[in-house]
Amino acid sequence: MTEFLNGLWFWLRRIPLIGKSISPKFYGMRDLKTVILVVFKWLSLPLTVLRKSFLVFIAWLVAFGVKNLSLQKESVLWDTFRIDYPEIFHWTLTIFLLFCIFEQLSFVKASSGSLFRGIAFAKMFRLSYGDTLKKLNRINLVMSLLAYIFPLGILGLIYHQSFVAIVLPSSFRLLTLNFALFLVSKNWWVDILDSYQKKIFKYSYNLVVFGGGVFGLFYLTLVHTLEWTALSAWIILILASVSFLLSQKKKLSQRFIQSIFRNLAYHEQIVTEARSNQSNTGLKAAQKSSQKIEVTDEQELFDKFSGIQLLNRLLFKRYRKIFKKKLFYRLGGLGLAFLIILGVYAYLVIRFGKTNYLTFNQVGNILPSIFFIMYLASISKEVVAIYYTKCDQAMLNYPFYRTEQTILQSFIGRLKQSFILNTPIVVALFINVFLGILLFGKAIPLSFYGLIVFYGVAVNLLFSFHELFLYYILQPFDREGGMKNPIFTVINGIFYYFCIQNYQLANRFDETTTYVLTISIIIVVYVSLGLIIVKLKAPKRFKLK
């Protein structure tokens, strides 16, 4: 906030005519800035209430949906859904209490945003780090509790349990904070945090926490529903009060504060890199990830290829390990989607004995989402970035590398490589689509499957071609690797908008078949025209800026 106020004051002083009359003494008015900070903090309370209300609503919506769906027998009848089931109230509170536990995990791991802001505040005003962090977290807790009173109060009025709805979550949040303060005051907890830096312990810890949370959510709701009563609210309130008194004497250990500083430095480094990467289309990420080259046997390539083809294949092979890693994460996400589809199918079969819910037109409505998914999953940006940072940035200094024949051969070879790299993603994506159609579809003609395959090939071609096409025509990077072409960013923004608005385009077609054919033909035409433009313009424009 202080940086924001100083920056605002700086720009106000640069306004013509009135800027010179604004005093620079404001920069040193710490007391005034503190008052402004407190005022802004309380003025932000309505937005905080709205945000907290949304979180409570999401928890209630999950409980409402699961409870009503579990009562359906043969098919889903939306008009039979009710909100007055007492289990919905208990499940909502259970989900909220589990959220309170997870909310403290970032605190006890010395990596929460409130801790970072507290460190900055204490450093600015030369206050005790431990006392400042402790007080600020209690202030944040009070503001959070005030923000939650409104949505929890409404929840209590709906289910006629206002006392439980307000007192139980508030007391539980205070209890978890007191327990967290007890942990971070012990040196043995810092030893655990140091062990957390090791990958094996880190992955095991995350697995246990995530698995325990999921298990607790299902067990405490579907298997054994916890009924929250006034007695349980009083018990939690007493425990919270006692723990509050005990935690008053606890101080944050110095080693824990040092851990916060280490995490803060790491966080600032990540934020700085992320900001520098926003306009560089994966360029900085490529520079970092491509520092390690895979040692490969390249004699076979020297025997088969020569010239620019040999150069592209050598580059592709040496960084094959990086490409595989990026593919692994994307395919892992699509594999998880595959398991979710099977799980939903199994539930519908066991529960209703019926799964043919999707008609031909409904299946067609799924296809536009493939554009946006491919926009997120495609690795063409990373491939283009590695091409520039590890090859073109140096080779474009040589005249032979800028000849028409070399540029065209390089473009075609890289387009093939990008298509091959994106193919596993497209295949995995359409396996999920086919699985959904086979399991849930109703009266889907076989000819439609062939049309979807053609659509998939066209989408793969588009996302393999588009980024490479812009790179060769606009060449947005300068000699130092910075972005110097705003047109490149604008066109990518338009392309992103097209991927999102693809749903609106699909709704303009009466038949799904017409939409699929039209989009596929448009892609083929775009790629064909792009190849002509590359042949005519790339030899003149593909150069260092």
Side-chain angles (χ1 to χ4, degrees), residues 230 363 415 489:
V363 171
L415 177 61
T489 305

Side-chain angles (χ1 to χ4, degrees), residues 329-357:
Y329 289 122
R330 288 160 170 80
L331 294 178
L334 293 172
L336 179 61
F338 183 86
L339 296 177
I340 292 174
I341 292 174
L342 290 179
V344 172
Y345 175 75
Y347 172 78
L348 293 175
V349 169
I350 296 172
R351 185 69 188 173
F352 306 121
K354 176 185 177 182
T355 60
N356 54 340
Y357 291 101

Side-chain angles (χ1 to χ4, degrees), residues 27 41 56 77 79 85 94 99 131 133 137 171 199 286 291 302-303 322 348 364 416 423 433 453 455 498 513 522 538:
Y27 297 120
K41 193 80 173 177
V56 174
L77 301 176
D79 56 344
Y85 294 115
T94 302
F99 166 76
D131 292 340
L133 293 176
N137 274 279
S171 303
K199 286 189 176 181
Q291 290 174 356
F302 281 95
D303 295 338
I322 297 171
L348 293 175
K416 292 178 182 178
T423 295
V433 173
V453 172
Y455 179 75
F498 169 74
T513 305
I522 290 175

Side-chain angles (χ1 to χ4, degrees), residues 81 89 91 106 111 126 138 285 393 456 463 473 477 480 538:
F81 278 35
F89 173 76
W91 290 3
S106 59
S111 60
R126 299 180 180 179
R138 293 206 182 281
Q393 191 175 15
F463 283 92
I473 294 300
F477 309 117
E480 288 73 33

Side-chain angles (χ1 to χ4, degrees), residues 409-456:
Q409 288 182 354
S410 173
F411 180 87
I412 297 300
R414 290 175 175 181
L415 177 61
K416 292 178 182 178
Q417 291 172 338
S418 184
F419 187 87
I420 292 172
L421 278 174
N422 283 319
T423 295
I425 300 174
V426 175
V427 171
L429 180 59
F430 277 88
I431 285 177
N432 282 283
V433 173
F434 284 142
L435 180 67
I437 294 174
L438 291 172
L439 297 181
F440 305 108
K442 178 171 61 177
I444 308 298
L446 292 176
S447 58
F448 188 62
Y449 290 94
L451 193 62
I452 292 178
V453 172
F454 177 68
Y455 179 75

Side-chain angles (χ1 to χ4, degrees), residues 146-331:
L146 290 175
Y148 273 118
I149 286 178
F150 176 72
L152 292 175
I154 293 178
L155 180 70
L157 289 174
I158 293 175
Y159 295 95
H160 308 289
Q161 296 199 55
S162 299
F163 176 79
V164 177
I166 295 176
V167 174
L168 179 68
S170 303
S171 303
F172 192 80
R173 284 175 63 82
L174 178 59
L175 180 62
T176 55
L177 175 61
N178 294 334
F179 182 72
L181 289 173
F182 172 79
L183 281 180
V184 299
S185 66
K186 304 298 180 181
N187 286 325
W188 57 264
W189 177 252
V190 182
D191 293 333
I192 295 177
L193 288 182
D194 293 338
S195 301
Y196 181 77
Q197 304 301 323
K198 299 178 181 179
K199 286 189 176 181
I200 296 178
F201 182 84
K202 183 176 181 179
Y203 292 147
S204 302
Y205 172 84
N206 291 333
L207 180 62
V208 170
V209 170
F210 178 76
V214 173
F215 174 78
L217 179 61
F218 280 95
Y219 182 78
L220 298 176
T221 53
L222 298 176
V223 179
H224 181 73
T225 302
L226 285 178
E227 295 186 4
W228 302 103
T229 62
L231 178 61
S232 60
W234 277 110
I235 292 174
I236 297 296
L237 178 59
I238 293 172
L239 291 175
S241 301
V242 173
S243 63
F244 174 77
L245 296 175
L246 294 176
S247 65
Q248 285 294 94
K249 300 179 181 180
K250 299 294 182 182
K251 295 184 178 180
L252 278 66
S253 69
Q254 290 300 317
R255 292 180 59 194
F256 179 75
I257 295 174
Q258 292 172 2
S259 298
I260 298 175
F261 273 100
R262 287 197 300 268
N263 291 331
L264 176 59
Y266 179 69
H267 173 76
E268 290 176 344
Q269 179 184 355
I270 292 176
V271 171
T272 302
E273 290 180 357
R275 288 175 178 173
S276 64
N277 288 344
Q278 283 181 343
S279 60
N280 284 353
T281 323
L283 184 67
K284 300 298 181 183
Q287 290 174 336
K288 183 178 179 180
S289 63
S290 61
Q291 290 174 356
K292 294 183 179 180
I293 301 177
E294 182 180 3
V295 179
T296 58
D297 182 10
E298 300 165 349
Q299 186 58 45
E300 183 180 356
L301 295 178
F302 281 95
D303 295 338
K304 290 184 178 181
F305 304 100
S306 61
I308 191 64
Q309 292 183 352
L310 175 62
L311 183 62
N312 280 335
R313 290 181 180 271
L314 283 174
L315 184 69
F316 187 81
K317 189 169 185 178
R318 289 180 180 181
Y319 295 101
R320 180 176 56 187
K321 187 175 181 179
I322 297 171
F323 296 144
K324 285 182 178 179
K325 185 177 180 180
K326 295 181 181 298
L327 277 175
F328 175 78
Y329 289 122
R330 288 160 170 80
L331 294 178

Side-chain angles (χ1 to χ4, degrees), residues 75 98 264:
S75 61
L98 287 173
L264 176 59

